[in-house]
Amino acid sequence: MAYSSSLGYPRIGANREWKKALEAFWSGKIEESELHAQLQDIRLNHLSKQRDKGIDLIPVNDFSYYDHVLDTAAMFGMIPDRFEYNGGPVPVSVYFAMARGNKDATACEMTKWFNTNYHYIVPELGGITPVLTENKPLAAYREAKDKLGIEGKPVIVGPLTFLKLSKGYAASETDAWLDRLLPLYAQVLKELEQEGVNWVQVDEPILVTKLSDTDVSRLQKIYQTLKAAAPGVRIMLQTYFEAVERYQEVTQLPVDGIGLDLVHGGAGNRQSIRDFGFPQDKVLGAGVIDGRGIWKASLREKLDLLNEIAATVPSERLVIQSSCSLLHVPVTVQAETKLQPELLGALAFADEKLEEIVLLSKAVQSGASVISAELEKSEAAVTALKRSGERNRTDIQQAVAAVSAEPAQREAAFAKRLDVQQERWQLPILPTTTIGSFPQSAEVRKARQLWRKGEWNAEQYTNFIREQIDLWIQLQEEIGLDVLVHGEFERTDMVEFFGEKLAGFAFTQNGWVQSYGSRCVKPPIIFGDVAWEKPMTVKETAYAQSKTKLPVKGMLTGPITIMNWSFVRDDISREQIAYQLAYALRQEVEALESAGIGMIQVDEPAVREGLPLKEQDQKGYLEWAVKAFRLTTCTVQNSTQIHTHMCYCEFHDMIDSIIDMDADVISIETSRSHGELIQSFEENTYPLGIGLGVYDIHSPRVPDVEEMTRMIDRALRVLDPKLFWINPDCGLKTRGIGETVASLRNMVEATRLAREKYALQV
Ligand code: GLN
Ligand code: ZN
């Protein structure tokens, strides 16, 4: 057999047609019928593309109008009351309101899909009675068959994964919910069976996370029920992103195939296959092509891997596939014309990965010789990049090895540094500051475009940026802030800005991936050894400092955030990449310090995003992540104050690592998790400088003084006023100028009142 299979194809379209169609509809530029027509074109195009590449098992129902978890919730009628849904197929207005909110109802929560940068809409179960509103996989299957003659493989989110990702119910109600949901899943499968569907892919990525005995029993019940309901449909139980837990029990479930990720968590899965074998009545979905990375595979290595597996699972029972859905990679390398040849030659996005899958399945069926030319080509491409100058900067490799062997420690301990810094800065108690960026108005964005297009020369652009800095230094002084920032007007994005200036990075023209809904990101590619070449931020920061007597904080993005928001090379470890970034950024920290900047903030909002899914790997990750931060910041003088900032995450379970970063001051976003965070400070004293955001910058609302006073009072119940800073909870770049100034004025007033109240305690 050795089928080739696709687990899911990017929705966004080669030219982001999908995004454009959605946004045109949302802004009222196209009618609903036009939206359906455009999305159908895109969907069918993706199906025929996969067929033309030679893929045997083509996924249907992987396409979505927003998100596949939201689709599943909508299919089961799980629509919270506030959206005023009245039964029947879910109208697009309701569907999009759940995703984006409308004037009457706030959107459902959105969160990260496992350890990827894709975000799904969190289903709210609450008091809802689930019903099957429409059999979506069936509709998708029929469409592919009627329009293109394709026998699609419907993809659905599995019951256990769906339940575990949902909220609004107590753990004790899990089984009751399962009992409500299972008949609906059974109904979906039964109808697929009646229609003559051969394979169904049931995605259960939750099986790579910790599973209790109860979960295993639930899985048995789920798959027994589904099998009994539709014995004629073959179920591929698909896992990904890590090694599957409870391998022996999972592979015994009454399904027809088990899909395993043989790239991420590949070592664990291979070990399980070796140790426990693989059932003879099942097909193995061998996820050998990396569905999340952007690199061309060494086909030879992949064939070796498949040969190793063939010792346990004969080729008649192998399906060759990617490690996960291709949703997480850009569409095609075809559009790239500007990358250097060694890099371009070594890239494989979704379309190219499908070709690799087809080649491997041919080789497994008919022997490696049938693809000998391609084997050589892939080897040559991988080798060329490996030999490129960018991957062989011995100067960098040696320096990083030396630096990372050092203890990465500030000269003095925090208490001593605090004294020295206090003497230097003479800050009042409860110092006020902001997180770095100020509003990127239309004017700022336009100026950058003019400059990028060459309509403005460097001098015009620099002058414009300086005017913005002048304006905001003046405003910050007038508002009465204690520690100022230059405003980050020269930056589009906190990762791209640095990537463009460091060696070892490349930028695609069209390498977009979906982040959430219609929002796409174009991550930089770290393909070579990372090197600092010249100061990146000194000019603007020093300029700002020259305009005021108050301290101006320098602003950098930290090594872990840069790494986690980029596509990275896979020939060295992430730890090594982090250290290279740390070494490069340390040189920027030193350059700022030499230019007289005495407070430097190294932002690490994405530290938690890189946390491995397996508990046993988390400690190791946090250790080297913290070390990378310390390497970046440890060489400055005691009087130089290192700040950091984190957001979008739950910190309570990593507070020890945060303390370990040894930043003089941290600012943390708290608006969305205030209670939990405060609680964690009740349990652990935080011994360094800390600012808990006293207002939420994600809303245009101007918070009043009393509201911020309450936030300050609450925080000071558990934190030391001597160490407490007052700031908004994130950068202000997305806010309007008027609301920003008004909010900051209120913040300074709340601080004045708090100082009166707490001065005696210091
Ligand atoms: N310094 C950055 C800013 O203010 C921090 C952004 C972030 O936390 N994501 O924009
Ligand atoms: Zn932030």
Side-chain angles (χ1 to χ4, degrees):
M1 181 175 72
Y3 284 123
S4 54
S5 177
S6 163
L7 303 191
Y9 189 80
R11 298 159 190 151
I12 61 175
N15 297 305
R16 285 180 293 154
E17 300 85 343
W18 180 81
K19 170 195 176 71
K20 289 168 197 163
L22 285 176
E23 289 174 3
F25 175 68
W26 293 337
S27 65
K29 290 198 191 93
I30 59 171
E31 297 287 327
E32 186 179 326
S33 56
E34 179 61 20
L35 174 73
H36 293 309
Q38 288 191 15
L39 294 191
Q40 185 181 48
D41 276 353
I42 296 170
R43 192 161 63 230
L44 294 176
N45 174 271
H46 292 172
L47 293 177
S48 37
K49 216 159 133 182
Q50 294 177 85
R51 176 187 56 196
D52 296 346
K53 298 255 176 226
I55 293 289
D56 299 315
L57 294 176
I58 298 169
V60 295
N61 197 44
D62 57 328
F63 188 87
S64 175
Y65 276 43
Y66 199 95
D67 159 49
H68 50 275
V69 181
L70 175 60
D71 293 347
T72 315
M75 175 163 87
F76 294 138
M78 298 200 165
I79 296 158
D81 286 346
R82 64 184 184 281
F83 298 103
E84 298 184 355
Y85 160 73
N86 302 313
V90 179
V92 287
S93 57
V94 171
Y95 177 87
F96 287 134
M98 287 170 75
R100 313 172 63 228
N102 62 22
K103 62 177 189 347
D104 305 313
T106 52
C108 297
E109 196 183 307
M110 173 173 86
T111 198
K112 272 167 71 71
W113 177 242
F114 296 87
N115 58 354
T116 71
N117 286 331
Y118 177 82
H119 300 73
Y120 69 92
I121 301 293
V122 182
E124 294 172 29
L125 303 190
I128 297 159
T129 307
V131 288
L132 188 62
T133 59
E134 140 189 59
N135 190 336
K136 271 205 64 211
L138 178 64
Y141 174 81
R142 282 183 177 154
E143 179 189 60
K145 193 158 180 175
D146 294 350
K147 302 273 181 201
L148 301 166
I150 289 176
E151 278 290 336
K153 169 190 60 170
V155 180
I156 46 179
V157 179
L160 193 66
T161 300
F162 181 75
L163 256 185
K164 292 230 172 184
L165 298 186
S166 299
K167 64 171 206 180
Y169 67 101
S172 60
E173 296 167 328
T174 310
D175 291 300
W177 271 103
L178 201 54
D179 289 341
R180 273 169 231 157
L181 272 174
L182 258 184
L184 306 185
Y185 269 99
Q187 179 69 24
V188 167
L189 284 188
K190 212 178 293 170
E191 288 174 17
L192 292 176
E193 180 187 43
Q194 280 157 10
E195 194 74 11
V197 167
N198 185 9
W199 277 104
V200 175
Q201 175 185 321
V202 182
D203 282 354
E204 289 278 22
I206 205 77
L207 301 196
V208 309
T209 65
K210 213 173 181 63
L211 297 175
S212 64
D213 291 343
T214 318
D215 290 329
V216 172
S217 319
R218 285 177 185 139
L219 282 168
Q220 284 157 351
K221 177 171 170 186
I222 291 170
Y223 288 95
Q224 274 155 13
T225 308
L226 297 186
K227 198 73 219 172
V233 177
R234 297 206 272 177
I235 295 177
M236 173 65 89
L237 178 63
Q238 185 60 50
T239 69
Y240 38 80
F241 300 147
E242 255 302 344
V244 70
E245 291 281 316
R246 310 291 291 253
Y247 176 88
Q248 284 167 285
E249 288 127 315
V250 167
T251 50
Q252 288 310 322
L253 291 170
V255 294
D256 305 270
I258 306 278
L260 298 179
D261 189 328
L262 294 171
V263 180
H264 303 271
N269 278 331
R270 281 159 73 181
Q271 191 61 45
S272 296
I273 295 173
R274 276 196 293 270
D275 290 350
F276 308 113
F278 190 80
Q280 290 186 7
D281 60 344
K282 290 191 176 61
V283 161
L284 170 64
V288 288
I289 293 296
D290 188 354
R292 303 177 57 174
I294 51 166
W295 305 108
K296 203 171 251 182
S298 154
L299 294 178
R300 207 176 293 280
E301 267 172 35
K302 299 297 175 189
L303 275 183
D304 289 347
L305 169 58
L306 287 165
N307 281 334
E308 172 195 311
I309 288 167
T312 313
V313 190
S315 60
E316 315 85 76
R317 288 196 280 116
L318 277 185
V319 172
I320 312 299
Q321 55 190 35
S322 51
S323 64
C324 61
S325 165
L326 298 172
L327 181 67
H328 309 290
V329 290
V331 176
T332 174
V333 174
Q334 294 280 309
E336 302 305 322
T337 56
K338 296 194 173 145
L339 299 171
Q340 68 183 76
E342 292 100 336
L343 171 59
L344 187 57
L347 290 175
F349 297 166
D351 285 355
E352 293 76 24
K353 284 173 190 293
L354 292 174
E355 289 162 15
E356 293 179 332
I357 290 169
V358 171
L359 285 169
L360 288 173
S361 89
K362 279 190 191 152
V364 168
Q365 277 171 79
S366 321
S369 60
V370 300
I371 62 159
S372 57
E374 286 85 357
L375 276 174
E376 263 168 49
K377 256 201 260 166
S378 85
E379 234 32 58
V382 174
T383 315
L385 182 59
K386 203 181 279 170
R387 294 207 181 126
S388 66
E390 285 82 357
R391 283 209 175 171
N392 291 281
R393 301 265 319 243
T394 34
D395 54 335
I396 297 298
Q397 292 165 6
Q398 281 164 4
V400 171
V403 157
S404 56
E406 291 163 12
Q409 194 121 23
R410 296 282 298 266
E411 189 198 320
F414 174 70
K416 166 95 185 292
R417 301 198 304 261
L418 182 63
D419 286 345
V420 181
Q421 287 165 14
Q422 208 29 41
E423 205 179 297
R424 174 171 178 189
W425 304 110
Q426 304 283 324
L427 293 172
I429 63 153
L430 307 175
T432 52
T433 189
T434 62
I435 306 303
S437 58
F438 281 125
Q440 294 241 338
S441 57
E443 200 193 353
V444 173
R445 290 197 302 271
K446 183 151 167 259
R448 188 158 39 240
Q449 264 174 16
L450 287 170
W451 171 63
R452 291 218 161 183
K453 280 198 242 146
E455 285 174 40
W456 270 14
N457 61 29
E459 195 190 324
Q460 280 170 299
Y461 183 60
T462 304
N463 287 340
F464 173 83
I465 297 292
R466 289 190 167 185
E467 282 164 24
Q468 294 296 312
I469 295 175
D470 289 342
L471 177 81
W472 278 92
I473 290 288
Q474 219 175 34
L475 269 171
Q476 291 174 88
E477 285 189 339
E478 211 178 282
I479 292 168
L481 292 160
D482 303 308
V483 171
L484 314 192
V485 295
H486 79 281
E488 302 181 25
F489 300 105
E490 74 288 7
R491 306 181 190 179
T492 31
D493 172 282
M494 59 188 294
V495 171
E496 186 185 49
F497 176 82
F498 292 94
E500 281 176 343
K501 295 179 172 53
L502 292 166
F505 280 77
F507 292 85
T508 59
Q509 287 153 276
N510 209 30
W512 297 96
V513 288
Q514 188 188 358
S515 170
Y516 64 88
S518 68
R519 180 163 161 84
C520 299
V521 293
K522 191 153 69 69
I525 300 176
I526 302 182
F527 75 105
D529 292 329
V530 175
W532 183 86
E533 299 190 309
K534 55 177 188 304
M536 302 180 280
T537 62
V538 172
K539 212 174 60 181
E540 291 84 8
T541 318
Y543 176 77
Q545 185 64 84
S546 75
K547 295 282 160 171
T548 177
K549 290 199 169 53
L550 294 168
V552 171
K553 244 188 325 186
M555 283 295 150
L556 304 178
T557 305
I560 303 297
T561 298
I562 293 186
M563 181 179 71
N564 285 346
W565 287 349
S566 301
F567 281 121
V568 300
R569 53 196 287 196
D570 60 358
D571 62 319
I572 61 174
S573 66
R574 291 176 83 81
E575 178 178 0
Q576 283 307 315
I577 298 169
Y579 294 160
Q580 289 193 354
L581 283 160
Y583 176 60
L585 291 164
R586 171 198 282 200
Q587 293 165 77
E588 185 68 15
V589 168
E590 289 169 354
L592 281 169
E593 188 183 49
S594 306
I597 303 302
M599 292 191 186
I600 301 166
Q601 178 170 313
V602 179
D603 290 328
E604 282 289 25
V607 169
R608 204 176 194 291
E609 291 187 15
L611 202 63
L613 291 173
K614 301 275 188 205
E615 230 173 86
Q616 70 263 28
D617 300 332
Q618 293 177 351
K619 189 164 162 271
Y621 164 80
L622 286 172
E623 267 165 24
W624 60 253
V626 167
K627 179 163 169 191
F629 181 86
R630 291 172 65 130
L631 282 172
T632 307
T633 53
C634 69
T635 53
V636 296
Q637 296 159 22
N638 290 334
S639 65
T640 297
Q641 191 166 66
I642 296 291
H643 291 233
T644 188
H645 166 71
M646 293 188 166
C647 53
Y648 306 116
C649 45
E650 300 141 21
F651 306 95
H652 40 282
D653 55 354
M654 56 177 277
I655 213 83
D656 291 336
S657 301
I658 296 178
I659 293 173
D660 224 21
M661 288 165 71
D662 198 26
D664 296 304
V665 182
I666 186 172
S667 56
I668 300 194
E669 177 186 298
T670 46
S671 55
R672 291 183 235 174
S673 54
H674 202 84
E676 279 169 10
L677 197 70
I678 293 282
Q679 200 187 343
S680 75
F681 291 122
E682 273 163 9
E683 288 149 18
N684 317 265
T685 35
Y686 190 81
L688 301 130
I690 184 165
L692 297 188
V694 296
Y695 78 89
D696 177 9
I697 62 92
H698 301 91
S699 143
R701 200 173 61 90
V702 175
D704 58 31
V705 176
E706 289 74 40
E707 204 178 316
M708 289 194 256
T709 298
R710 274 198 303 279
M711 294 285 263
I712 297 169
D713 286 343
R714 192 137 47 121
L716 288 181
R717 264 183 254 148
V718 290
L719 292 164
D720 181 352
K722 271 201 292 285
L723 298 174
F724 195 72
W725 285 63
I726 294 186
N727 45 258
D729 72 358
C730 196
L732 295 158
K733 124 168 133 195
T734 56
R735 294 274 62 91
I737 297 175
E739 70 211 37
T740 297
V741 171
S743 301
L744 291 175
R745 279 194 209 286
N746 288 352
M747 185 181 92
V748 167
E749 174 59 12
T751 305
R752 192 185 63 76
L753 297 171
R755 279 177 187 156
E756 285 174 5
K757 194 152 62 179
Y758 294 98
L760 296 175
Q761 290 181 26
V762 179

